Amino acid sequence: MIIQRVVLNSRPGKNGEPVAENFRLEQSMIPDTIQVGQVRVRTLYLSVDPYMRCRMNEDTGSDYLLPWQLAEVVDGGGIGVVEESKYDSLAKGDVVTSFNWPWQTVAILDGSLLQKLVPQLVNGRLSYFLGAAGITGLTALLGIKEKGHVAAGANQTMVVSGAAGACGSLAGQIGRLEGCSRVVGIAGTDQKCAILVQEMGFDAAINYKKGNVSEQLRELCPGGVDVYFDNVGGDISDAVISQMNQNSHIILCGQISQYNKDVPYPPPLPPDIEKIRKERNITRERFLVLNYMDKQEASVLQLCQWIQEGKLKVRETVVEGLANMGAAFQSMMSGGNIGKQIVAVSK
């Protein structure tokens, strides 16, 4: 059977900006028949995420992420429908997902590595299982629960950087649902800031490209910052940490401002900021959602309930066609999207 797939065409280098041309669309072949334990799936949606930038390097800098190989098919979060099954627990027509889905139109996969989905949980919006009801939503919810120490009635202020992104846009809303009394987002355009406040219920939002971030934080967080959901690192995080309270908490989700730089993860803080962190006993522990998969099922059900009740607003940027995977990746890394970046491969 002839299929289309996306392979890694070139590496941007540890300090380089990824571009669409780092990926290449090509034709390939897969067997016409499947073996016992396998399923043939047609790809519906593929996820594009910031962590994938690390996989473009020969060394990901992580013990849980393998690098993509040159001229080999790229993989990540994906959703598809079963077209043929020789795995007892899956049947034709089932909708399934995997964290290691190949970027190709049709694939033959090990049935035991697939998770069956229930479309009704997201009102039929299957792509949500890659975002708000998937690993992105889990990262936001479990990050806040496990590292944020949010307590209802404690009058806590949360700040979220990268707040218009896939994870940040959910984290701010979840922080409020979990009990924060004030939520402030940091994003890169006036449009994004307006969406955060008008649509997603943030109390305020700062456009970091306009004005002084530290001054705006002091104005918008007069009682200081108790919880910081950090998606970006760098100068923005330094500004937030400077205004955090005693015994406050940083949820170290991502450091996208540092992903094109050859630095360790998590990147060390500047000496003056590290001094503040230690003096104020601010926690800053690496958070990896995969360490909390025993809480996955209950957490996904909670996310789906909030979505169905309209308490969790979901934004997606959907790009059509496997041929546009590279462009979608470049756009996501440049911060041009609002919410989750999804590529729709087939209907």
Side-chain angles (χ1 to χ4, degrees):
M1 178 184 295
I2 299 175
I3 64 162
Q4 287 187 314
R5 67 177 192 171
V6 173
V7 302
L8 186 64
N9 188 50
S10 59
R11 300 188 190 278
K14 282 196 171 184
N15 300 305
E17 298 281 345
V19 294
E21 290 73 26
N22 292 134
F23 301 93
R24 182 177 77 246
L25 182 70
E26 64 179 27
Q27 284 194 340
S28 185
M29 296 282 292
I30 61 171
D32 291 327
T33 59
I34 62 174
Q35 305 300 314
V36 173
Q38 293 182 329
V39 295
R40 188 178 75 246
V41 292
R42 175 168 50 87
T43 304
L44 299 176
Y45 297 101
L46 294 170
S47 178
V48 182
D49 301 285
Y51 82 87
M52 292 175 168
R53 173 63 184 85
C54 304
R55 300 191 68 188
M56 299 182 80
N57 299 332
E58 289 185 70
D59 178 5
T60 65
S62 168
D63 54 5
Y64 68 94
L65 288 177
L66 294 175
W68 290 328
Q69 298 301 317
L70 288 172
E72 295 293 332
V73 68
V74 179
D75 70 311
I79 290 173
V81 60
V82 175
E83 292 190 327
E84 182 183 359
S85 175
K86 289 187 178 179
Y87 180 70
D88 290 344
S89 300
L90 294 173
K92 183 178 180 179
D94 285 346
V95 179
V96 292
T97 187
S98 168
F99 192 62
N100 299 108
W101 195 287
W103 287 10
Q104 55 193 58
T105 49
V106 179
I108 295 175
L109 303 175
D110 183 340
S112 66
L113 301 180
L114 297 173
Q115 179 182 357
K116 186 176 177 180
L117 298 174
V118 182
Q120 293 85 349
L121 288 176
V122 289
N123 301 322
R125 296 291 297 272
L126 295 178
S127 57
Y128 283 12
F129 283 119
L130 293 178
I135 201 77
T136 310
L138 286 171
T139 299
L141 176 57
L142 290 171
I144 289 167
K145 281 184 169 292
E146 300 297 328
K147 299 295 184 182
H149 302 273
V150 172
N155 196 32
Q156 292 165 299
T157 293
M158 172 187 276
V159 171
V160 183
S161 59
C167 200
S169 61
L170 299 173
Q173 298 179 75
I174 292 170
R176 172 62 54 74
L177 289 166
E178 287 292 303
C180 286
S181 59
R182 185 165 181 78
V183 179
V184 176
I186 302 175
T189 69
D190 289 343
Q191 179 197 15
K192 290 178 179 179
C193 290
I195 288 171
L196 291 175
V197 174
Q198 297 168 12
E199 184 177 315
M200 297 185 172
F202 284 62
D203 293 284
I206 296 169
N207 180 350
Y208 70 86
K209 295 180 181 178
K210 285 187 175 180
N212 185 292
V213 172
S214 294
E215 290 178 1
Q216 293 178 79
L217 280 169
R218 276 191 288 274
E219 179 183 339
L220 295 173
C221 307
V225 178
D226 302 293
V227 184
Y228 173 38
F229 200 99
D230 185 5
N231 285 304
V232 303
D235 293 343
I236 289 174
S237 290
D238 296 347
V240 178
I241 295 169
S242 297
Q243 298 185 41
M244 294 187 74
N245 294 324
Q246 195 75 24
N247 302 319
S248 54
H249 304 283
I250 299 168
I251 303 166
L252 193 59
C253 178
Q255 303 281 276
I256 195 169
S257 73
Q258 308 298 301
Y259 285 170
N260 295 326
K261 300 177 183 178
D262 188 8
V263 295
Y265 186 87
L269 296 171
D272 56 329
I273 303 299
E274 179 63 14
K275 182 181 179 184
I276 290 172
R277 189 195 69 78
K278 287 182 176 178
E279 289 176 346
R280 298 181 192 171
N281 192 34
I282 302 169
T283 64
R284 183 181 184 254
E285 301 167 344
R286 185 173 184 174
F287 171 72
L288 179 59
V289 69
L290 297 178
N291 291 337
Y292 300 92
M293 284 297 97
D294 58 316
K295 301 180 180 180
Q296 176 186 9
E297 186 174 353
S299 299
V300 168
L301 289 174
Q302 175 65 84
L303 292 164
C304 290
Q305 181 180 336
W306 282 335
I307 292 169
Q308 289 177 340
E309 293 173 349
K311 294 179 179 178
L312 196 59
K313 309 294 185 186
V314 182
R315 273 273 187 157
E316 292 181 322
T317 302
V318 180
V319 174
E320 298 285 340
L322 194 67
N324 293 313
M325 290 297 300
F329 189 90
Q330 181 178 351
S331 176
M332 180 270 302
M333 285 300 301
S334 67
N337 306 320
I338 298 175
K340 179 72 178 181
Q341 176 76 71
I342 300 286
V343 174
V345 178
S346 65
K347 301 295 185 182

